[in-house]
């Protein structure tokens, strides 16, 4: 029997997602998904390497220990090592997938050293002519010493963000050097379709000179990219239409050459493909993993339309111009003509790279602002992922603990899931696709604050419009009261409950969390609409006037859009640092203690289904079956064995 919930360890819980309606797809569509899924899984090692230069060797070493027959599993130290390895698998490396801080192992250096001494030397990921002692001397400080490479992405204002971040996008380069290098490229570019400079390359200093190691066939990550390209070309044989064929051709050309103009061509073709039921994302996409917001982490997702739920998202996209025209931002910053905004509700069929095991619930691409303006964007809401989250959360006591009263709780129970999905749709479909930069504004002008400001802009757009009577007219919300469930949940999360994801004494680092804190704290500090009240020693959010809160969202949206449109770096910095970073230690401790008593895992991730070809006696594929029985460790070890390309 299928179960959404699965294994739990550390602060993590594994879930499963169903491929709803997969059995109704044609054999050709299933084969298309199967080949695209293989291309998605072959990028895994790239993500591991991008997230830290030692990740692959550490993962391999731990897997050798974990599977060695000679190693006893019946010790506390081994069980601690097992948890550490499972966290490494989950986070694509030794840094927390959300907070970016380095894990601290609960097993000792002496234990690890003794275990390694008893293993065959040829089974370990040693370099040529490297001895075990040198191997340990290099890796042990990275694993055990908190002060060595402590954070994957550092966003602390005033630090050299490149030098203090452990992500593997820069080598012997300072922040000042990196920013100057890419500014020089931008200044020298004379064309109308600028590439996303730096997106697909490691910036290194050799013999005193800066240069890029580009990620393409024949360059860095070549052995992994060759496999990705092979399976993309296999998938091309089952494409649903000619445009999908061309999309794959452009993407493989980009992978072969590393030419960012090929990537632009691919993005323009991809954003205009709407006829097929199946789609995919595969490549160096989101820049959250780079402190300078330039370099794309590798990710993959294969998807097919949820036809029933897509009716909702298409209603939104078909009215995109109305929403743009009625936005509360300065008319100078609105698009006069909204082009190519499309939105689909989809089922994920396979997750990979930076989308696995932890994944987004919505995606809006491409990221290049000029492509959005001239060609449009595509948005997706992942319905089988949100369904899995909702099923796993049902009856866990979280809302009962943190929502202020029975009336508000009933409102959230009745409308919360509907409005959560709708806010995600508005955020992805319209929020990211709304507005425009003023002529001459550098899309990267906000630097390390760009991601936070962009997420706040999209969230505010969704928050403002979810309360509009237009949504009732369109049949997207059931009545004029439903939006209050989203307003309350959002503010409660931004002010209180997202703090469960922060370690005591730490500040807020992750871009989406900073965005939510910024919005909630700005509204709280600039009005008396929101108050924090104490009842029996517990802190709760109280919203006094929901319509007034909507007006606050409108004011902040107008300012956030101005900051983005004008490239006002200093205003972005002040807004984020004042409202989006700091944590009240007293409230933080209270929230952590209340959450601890619920015995819940604050983070969720997913085990992929296994797609299995069914063959007849002649060896011909007659079906693709979906297997949900694979365990977490079983899947991770299989992925390392079958899709390991860089170690």
């Amino acid at each position: 029997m299928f179960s959404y919930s699965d294994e739990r360890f550390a602060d993590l819980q594994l879930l499963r997602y169903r491929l709803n309606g997969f059995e109704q797809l044609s054999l050709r569509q299933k084969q298309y998904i199967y080949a695209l899924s293989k291309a998605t899984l072959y990028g895994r090692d790239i993500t591991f390497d991008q997230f830290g230069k030692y990740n692959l060797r550490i993962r391999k070493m731990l897997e050798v220990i974990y599977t060695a027959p000679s190693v006893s599993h019946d010790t506390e130290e081994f069980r601690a090592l097992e948890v550490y390895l499972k966290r490494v698998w989950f986070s694509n490396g030794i840094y927390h997938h959300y907070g970016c801080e380095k894990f601290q192992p609960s097993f000792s250096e002496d234990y690890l050293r003794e275990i390694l001494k008893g293993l065959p030397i040829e089974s370990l990921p040693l370099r040529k002519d490297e001895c075990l002692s040198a191997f340990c001397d290099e890796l042990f400080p990275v694993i055990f010493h908190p002060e060595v490479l402590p954070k994957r992405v550092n966003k602390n204002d005033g630090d050299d963000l490149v030098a203090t971040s452990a992500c593997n996008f820069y080598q012997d380069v300072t922040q000042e050097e990196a920013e100057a290098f890419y500014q020089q490229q931008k200044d020298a570019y004379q064309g109308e379709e600028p590439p996303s400079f730096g997106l697909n390359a490691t910036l290194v200093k050799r013999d005193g000179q800066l240069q890029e190691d580009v990620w393409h066939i024949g360059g860095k990550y070549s052995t992994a990219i060759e496999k990705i390209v092979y399976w993309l070309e296999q998938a091309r044989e089952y494409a649903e239409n000619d445009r999908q064929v061309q999309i794959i051709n452009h993407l493989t050309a980009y992978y072969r050459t590393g030419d960012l103009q090929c990537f632009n061509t691919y993005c323009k073709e991809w954003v205009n493909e709407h006829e097929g039921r199946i789609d995919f994302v595969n490549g160096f996409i989101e820049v959250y993993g780079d402190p300078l917001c330039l370099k794309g982490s590798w990710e993959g997702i294969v998807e097919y339309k949820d036809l029933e739920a897509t009716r909702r998202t298409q209603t939104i996209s078909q009215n995109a111009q109305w929403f743009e025209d009625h936005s509360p931002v300065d008319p100078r910053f609105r698009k006069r003509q909204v082009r190519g905004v499309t939105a689909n509700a989809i089922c994920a069929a396979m997750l990979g790279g930076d989308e696995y095991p932890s994944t987004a619930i919505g995606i809006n691409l491409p990221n290049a602002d000029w492509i959005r303006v001239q060609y449009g964007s595509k948005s997706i809401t992942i319905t089988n992922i949100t369904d899995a989250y909702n099923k796993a959360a049902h009856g866990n006591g979280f809302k009962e603990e943190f929502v202020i009263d029975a009336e508000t709780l009933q409102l959230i129970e009745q409308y919360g899931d509907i409005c959560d999905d709708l806010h995600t749709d508005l955020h992805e479909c319209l929020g990211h696709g709304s507005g425009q930069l003023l002529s001459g504004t550098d899309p990267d002008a906000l630097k390390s604050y760009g991601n936070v400001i962009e997420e706040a802009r999209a969230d505010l757009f969704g928050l403002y419009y979810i309360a509009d009577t237009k949504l009732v007219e369109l049949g997207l919300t059931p009545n004029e009261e439903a939006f209050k469930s989203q307003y309350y949940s959002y503010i409660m999360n931004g002010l209180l409950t997202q703090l469960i994801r922060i370690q005591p004494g730490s500040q807020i680092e992750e871009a989406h969390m900073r965005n939510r804190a910024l919005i909630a704290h700005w509204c709280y500090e600039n009005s008396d609409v929101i108050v924090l009240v104490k009842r029996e020693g517990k802190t709760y959010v109280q919203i006094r006037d929901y319509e007034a809160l909507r007006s606050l969202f409108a004011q902040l949206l107008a300012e956030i859009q101005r900051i983005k449109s004008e490239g006002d770096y200093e205003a972005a910095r002040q807004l984020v640092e004042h409202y989006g970073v700091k944590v009240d230690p007293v409230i933080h401790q209270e929230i952590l203690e209340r959450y601890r008593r619920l015995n819940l895992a604050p983070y969720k991730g997913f085990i992929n289904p296994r797609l299995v070809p069914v063959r007849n006696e002649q060896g011909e594929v007659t079906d693709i079956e979906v297997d949900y029985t694979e365990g977490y460790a079983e899947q991770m070890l299989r992925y390392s064995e079958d899709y390991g390309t860089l170690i």
Side-chain angles (χ1 to χ4, degrees):
M1 182 176 177
F2 181 87
S3 174
Y4 286 96
S5 297
D6 203 88
E7 185 174 353
R8 179 176 166 182
F9 52 90
D11 56 356
L12 305 166
Q13 182 181 8
L14 274 300
L15 306 176
R16 297 183 187 274
Y17 59 97
R18 290 187 65 91
L19 272 58
N20 302 315
F22 183 83
E23 67 281 355
Q24 298 167 6
L25 299 175
S26 70
L27 175 59
R28 184 181 180 89
Q29 288 174 318
K30 292 177 182 179
Q31 289 175 294
Y32 190 36
I33 287 174
Y34 176 80
L36 290 173
S37 295
K38 299 285 277 189
T40 294
L41 296 174
Y42 266 113
R44 179 173 181 250
D45 276 8
I46 298 176
T47 308
F48 265 88
D49 189 74
Q50 289 179 321
F51 285 6
K53 65 183 291 186
Y54 300 99
N55 283 338
L56 286 170
R57 292 216 293 163
I58 291 173
R59 186 192 78 192
K60 177 65 175 177
M61 173 190 68
L62 295 171
E63 289 173 346
V64 170
I65 295 171
Y66 186 72
T67 58
S70 61
V71 176
S72 172
H73 290 205
D74 191 25
T75 68
E76 287 300 317
E77 295 244 67
F78 179 84
R79 285 187 281 272
L81 182 143
E82 180 180 27
V83 170
Y84 184 82
L85 172 58
K86 288 180 177 180
R87 297 185 76 184
V88 168
W89 282 333
F90 191 96
S91 295
N92 293 295
I94 64 173
Y95 299 92
H96 196 280
H97 76 286
Y98 210 80
C100 292
E101 67 275 6
K102 187 167 68 173
F103 308 140
Q104 290 305 301
S106 297
F107 55 92
S108 68
E109 292 188 50
D110 289 342
Y111 169 77
L112 183 58
R113 193 179 298 271
E114 286 305 309
I115 290 290
L116 292 174
K117 287 179 181 177
L119 297 176
I121 194 73
E122 65 273 10
S123 68
L124 296 172
L126 274 61
R127 298 190 183 98
K128 186 178 181 180
D129 299 326
E130 183 181 32
C131 65
L132 180 60
S133 177
F135 173 79
C136 293
D137 289 346
E138 181 178 15
L139 293 190
F140 278 28
V142 178
I143 296 171
F144 291 103
H145 299 182
E147 73 280 3
V148 176
L149 302 175
K151 296 184 72 172
R152 176 166 66 88
V153 183
N154 179 32
K155 292 292 185 74
N156 288 337
D157 188 32
D159 289 351
D160 182 321
L161 302 184
V162 169
T164 57
S165 294
C167 56
N168 196 19
F169 294 127
Y170 304 93
Q171 182 179 316
D172 301 322
V173 177
T174 67
Q175 178 179 348
E176 183 179 3
E177 289 172 329
E179 289 178 342
F181 180 86
Y182 288 113
Q183 189 59 52
Q184 186 177 33
Q185 289 191 350
K186 292 176 185 177
D187 292 342
Y189 183 75
Q190 300 295 320
E192 297 294 323
E193 299 187 347
S196 300
F197 293 108
L199 182 70
N200 66 333
T202 305
L203 184 63
V204 303
K205 185 186 289 183
R206 292 194 180 98
D207 299 324
Q209 299 297 313
L210 294 178
Q211 61 187 79
E212 289 187 316
D213 286 345
V214 180
W215 311 328
H216 67 105
I217 290 179
K220 190 169 185 179
Y221 302 138
S222 182
T223 53
I225 296 173
E226 288 168 20
K227 294 289 190 179
I228 295 169
V229 168
Y230 172 83
W231 281 104
L232 287 173
E233 291 177 338
Q234 294 298 304
R236 184 175 57 195
E237 302 303 312
Y238 304 104
E240 298 174 286
N241 55 56
D242 290 341
R243 176 158 269 167
Q244 288 179 346
V245 170
Q246 291 306 311
I247 287 168
I248 291 175
N249 287 341
H250 292 309
L251 180 56
T252 55
Y254 164 59
Y255 273 139
R256 291 182 189 283
T257 64
D259 185 347
L260 286 168
Q261 291 296 356
C262 289
F263 183 67
N264 282 348
T265 303
Y266 155 73
C267 289
K268 290 185 293 183
E269 193 75 22
W270 177 82
V271 84
N272 284 305
E273 199 289 298
H274 309 299
E275 299 304 317
R277 188 171 179 185
I278 298 161
D279 205 350
F280 70 98
V281 174
N282 186 297
F284 309 108
I285 308 296
E286 301 292 358
V287 296
Y288 300 105
D290 174 14
L292 302 188
C293 303
L294 295 172
K295 302 191 173 299
S297 300
W298 193 93
E299 68 177 60
I301 181 170
V302 185
E303 67 199 53
Y304 57 97
K305 289 178 186 174
D306 179 336
L307 298 180
E308 179 62 32
T310 290
R311 294 190 181 95
R312 179 187 74 236
T313 57
Q314 289 183 345
T315 298
I316 293 172
S317 61
Q318 288 163 4
N319 287 274
Q321 191 66 58
W322 185 92
F323 288 103
E324 184 76 5
D325 293 343
H326 291 81
S327 171
V329 307
D330 189 313
R332 294 180 301 147
F333 308 142
R334 298 180 196 153
K335 288 188 174 78
R336 290 185 178 87
Q337 183 179 358
V338 178
R339 292 188 175 94
V341 173
T342 61
N344 293 304
I346 63 97
C347 286
M350 193 63 64
L351 306 171
D354 199 16
E355 289 291 341
Y356 167 83
S358 178
T359 186
I361 59 173
I363 297 172
N364 177 273
L365 293 171
N367 285 325
D369 186 76
W370 68 268
I371 296 180
R372 293 175 183 272
V373 171
Q374 296 180 34
Y375 297 92
S377 62
K378 286 203 296 194
S379 302
I380 60 170
T381 302
I382 313 177
T383 59
N384 59 340
I385 294 296
T386 56
D387 185 54
Y389 279 130
N390 293 339
K391 293 288 198 308
H394 182 70
N396 66 9
F398 178 84
K399 287 179 283 193
E400 289 80 359
E401 173 62 33
F402 290 105
V403 175
I404 189 169
D405 53 37
E407 180 183 358
T408 307
L409 181 61
Q410 183 179 9
L411 191 74
I412 293 170
E413 290 285 357
Q414 188 170 3
Y415 302 119
D417 289 351
I418 295 171
C419 288
D420 282 349
D421 289 344
L422 184 56
H423 183 254
T424 300
D425 293 339
L426 292 167
H427 172 112
E428 298 295 347
C429 175
L430 300 182
H432 283 308
S434 68
Q436 63 180 358
L437 302 182
L438 293 184
S439 178
T441 298
D442 183 348
D444 299 318
L446 303 183
K447 301 180 182 179
S448 62
Y449 298 103
N451 284 334
V452 181
I453 293 298
E454 176 57 22
E455 292 303 324
R457 193 177 71 90
D459 259 2
L460 286 163
F461 197 97
L463 289 167
Y464 177 74
Y465 275 117
I466 201 169
D468 202 291
T469 56
K470 181 73 171 179
L471 271 66
V472 181
E473 295 172 16
L474 294 173
L476 297 171
T477 49
N479 55 52
E480 295 181 10
E481 295 291 305
F483 79 92
K484 294 178 182 179
S485 67
Q486 182 66 22
Y487 276 25
Y488 189 88
S489 296
Y490 192 94
I491 295 299
M492 181 181 75
N493 190 29
L495 290 180
L496 300 179
T497 54
Q498 73 169 2
L499 295 176
I500 64 175
R501 297 183 167 195
I502 302 294
Q503 294 295 317
S506 298
Q507 296 186 353
I508 301 173
E509 296 280 352
E510 199 275 335
H512 296 81
M513 290 183 69
R514 283 187 167 189
N515 142 50
R516 291 188 289 266
L518 186 163
I519 292 171
H521 281 278
W522 187 93
C523 293
Y524 172 66
E525 294 182 28
N526 287 282
S527 76
D528 60 359
V529 171
I530 302 166
V531 293
L532 295 178
V533 299
K534 284 277 190 180
R535 294 183 179 175
E536 299 179 353
K538 296 180 179 181
T539 305
Y540 297 92
V541 166
Q542 183 181 67
I543 298 177
R544 291 173 167 171
D545 186 332
Y546 283 89
E547 290 297 335
L549 181 55
R550 189 190 185 210
S551 296
L552 290 170
F553 289 149
Q555 293 174 41
L556 185 55
L557 174 58
E559 173 61 6
I560 291 281
Q561 183 63 63
R562 182 200 67 78
I563 288 170
K564 182 176 177 69
S565 294
E566 295 180 350
D568 189 342
Y569 171 82
E570 186 56 31
R573 188 187 70 80
Q574 291 183 15
L575 203 58
V576 174
E577 293 295 333
H578 182 79
Y579 296 105
V581 175
K582 299 178 180 64
V583 174
D584 182 317
V586 177
I587 289 180
H588 189 196
Q589 185 58 42
E590 176 201 324
I591 298 300
L592 289 175
E593 179 58 28
R594 290 165 67 184
Y595 188 79
R596 184 191 63 78
R597 290 196 292 266
L598 294 174
N599 193 30
L600 301 174
Y603 300 99
K604 309 290 192 293
F606 292 89
I607 300 172
N608 278 327
R610 187 171 187 175
L611 302 182
V612 183
V614 178
R615 300 180 184 274
N616 61 20
E617 293 181 356
Q618 289 73 42
E620 300 167 330
V621 174
T622 59
D623 198 6
I624 304 292
E625 289 187 347
V626 183
D627 178 6
Y628 298 107
T629 64
E630 190 169 38
Y632 176 63
E634 181 185 6
Q635 181 161 105
M636 290 297 185
L637 290 170
R638 180 172 66 86
Y639 283 2
S640 294
E641 178 68 25
D642 292 353
Y643 303 104
T645 55
L646 301 179
I647 190 168

